[in-house]
């Protein structure tokens, strides 16, 4: 890895196995110091990621943060700016995918899903804007899903939260784009290879061979591409899906 002191810090909120960790590796390989977060109780699960990035010569730091907490999120951004460097990329990647029929969806479930997939995105986006706008530069990327654009039976809570996150991203893009901050909402419209899908379908070898599911490393490269775009291209919504579904 080629560490470039001119490249800003990349913060990944929700660095679970799959897209979040792939994004961290991609930006670290491009020379960015990376800061990754998970809930404090899951912090140990980031050890292999951090060790791998550092072993390849990159910079990586892990933080145990509840992204739904305003206090913890504010403190996270302040600490990174103070101790590691200026934040130039923020990737919000919390999923919160659950499936309940509407009659079985409790107020607690609906509220928790919204807090994780929408409210936490607001907190991350606001704090990113707070440090980026004064510098007139930065990239904020939100991971969306099929549920960002259409609801489905059994996914009322998830779809409501993801629709809200998409609206947040659209509003931020129009507000922050003219100020030099690039905001993009990325719709990952398809199953993504990882722990979640393997628990449901088992071996994914055939699906990967046929390009029938999305690959985290490919998604990460799309995120890196978005960050590299000229600032004049400030409002993006891209749709990532398996090629045979797209074409």
């Amino acid at each position: 890895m080629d560490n470039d002191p001119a490249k800003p810090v990349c913060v990944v909120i929700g660095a679970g196995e799959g897209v979040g960790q792939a994004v961290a590796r991609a930006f670290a390989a491009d020379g960015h110091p990376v800061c990754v977060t998970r809930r404090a109780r899951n912090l140990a699960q980031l050890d292999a990621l951090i060790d791998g990035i550092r072993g390849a010569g990159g910079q990586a730091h892990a933080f145990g943060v509840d992204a739904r907490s305003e206090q913890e999120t504010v403190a996270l951004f302040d600490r990174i700016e103070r101790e590691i460097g200026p934040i130039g990329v923020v990737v919000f990647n919390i999923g919160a995918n659950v499936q309940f029929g509407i009659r079985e969806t409790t107020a607690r479930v609906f509220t928790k899903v919204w807090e994780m997939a929408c409210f936490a995105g607001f907190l991350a986006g606001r704090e990113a804007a707070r440090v980026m706008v004064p510098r007139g530069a930065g990239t904020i990327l939100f991971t969306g899903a099929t549920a960002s654009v259409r609801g489905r039976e059994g996914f009322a809570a998830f779809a409501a939260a993801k629709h809200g996150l998409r609206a947040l991203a659209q509003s931020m893009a129009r507000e922050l784009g003219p100020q030099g901050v690039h905001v993009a909402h990325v719709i990952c419209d398809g199953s993504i290879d990882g722990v979640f899908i393997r628990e449901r379908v088992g071996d994914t070898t055939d699906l990967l061979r046929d390009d029938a599911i999305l690959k985290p490393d490919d998604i990460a490269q799309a995120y890196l591409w978005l960050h590299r775009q000229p600032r004049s291209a400030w409002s993006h919504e891209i749709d990532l899906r398996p090629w045979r579904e797209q074409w």
Side-chain angles (χ1 to χ4, degrees):
M1 295 186 182
D2 183 16
N3 292 317
D4 185 345
K7 291 191 175 181
V9 175
C10 171
V11 181
V12 182
I13 308 291
E17 297 179 9
V19 173
Q21 295 194 17
V23 168
R25 288 192 296 268
F27 276 87
D30 194 53
H32 295 266
V34 297
C35 297
V36 295
T37 80
R38 294 196 71 172
R39 294 284 295 274
R41 67 190 182 198
N42 298 321
L43 190 57
Q45 296 177 18
L46 295 176
D47 288 347
L49 171 67
I50 299 302
D51 290 345
I53 290 174
R54 290 176 177 172
Q59 297 183 51
H61 310 268
F63 298 87
V65 174
D66 184 346
R68 301 169 298 171
S69 165
E70 181 175 30
Q71 181 179 4
E72 291 186 32
T73 300
V74 170
L76 171 71
F77 277 78
D78 287 345
R79 181 180 176 187
I80 292 172
E81 287 272 321
R82 182 177 64 252
E83 299 180 3
I84 300 172
I87 298 169
V89 185
V90 171
V91 177
F92 180 77
N93 186 62
I94 294 178
N97 189 352
V98 298
Q99 183 176 4
F100 288 99
I102 192 63
R103 291 175 295 173
E104 290 73 47
T105 301
T106 65
R108 183 177 182 276
V109 165
F110 191 94
T111 301
K112 184 176 181 180
V113 171
W114 173 80
E115 285 178 341
M116 294 173 64
C118 186
F119 179 66
F122 154 70
L123 292 175
R126 186 193 67 187
E127 293 308 298
R130 181 175 63 83
V131 298
M132 292 177 182
V133 169
R135 294 194 279 260
T139 301
I140 305 171
L141 305 175
F142 296 95
T143 299
T146 306
S148 301
V149 293
R150 61 181 181 272
R152 182 180 173 184
E153 65 278 5
F155 292 93
F158 184 56
K162 282 297 187 179
H163 271 68
L165 184 69
R166 183 186 182 206
L168 169 73
Q170 290 175 337
S171 297
M172 288 179 58
R174 286 163 174 80
E175 178 180 344
L176 302 180
Q179 300 180 71
V181 177
H182 184 184
V183 180
H185 178 257
V186 185
I187 300 174
C188 298
D189 186 14
S191 298
I192 302 172
D193 187 36
V195 174
F196 179 77
I197 188 64
R198 290 176 186 178
E199 287 177 347
R200 302 187 69 178
V201 305
D203 185 18
T204 59
T205 301
D206 291 344
L207 295 172
L208 289 167
R209 184 197 60 216
D210 296 337
D211 281 334
I213 58 175
L214 295 161
K215 303 177 181 67
D217 288 339
D218 291 347
I219 295 172
Q221 289 302 312
Y223 281 38
L224 189 59
W225 177 85
L226 282 167
H227 170 61
R228 290 171 172 171
Q229 294 313 293
R231 298 300 93 179
S232 58
W234 55 264
S235 180
H236 275 102
E237 179 162 78
I238 67 171
D239 189 348
L240 302 179
R241 59 179 93 172
W243 73 267
R244 71 178 185 183
E245 294 181 14
Q246 190 167 13
W247 305 111

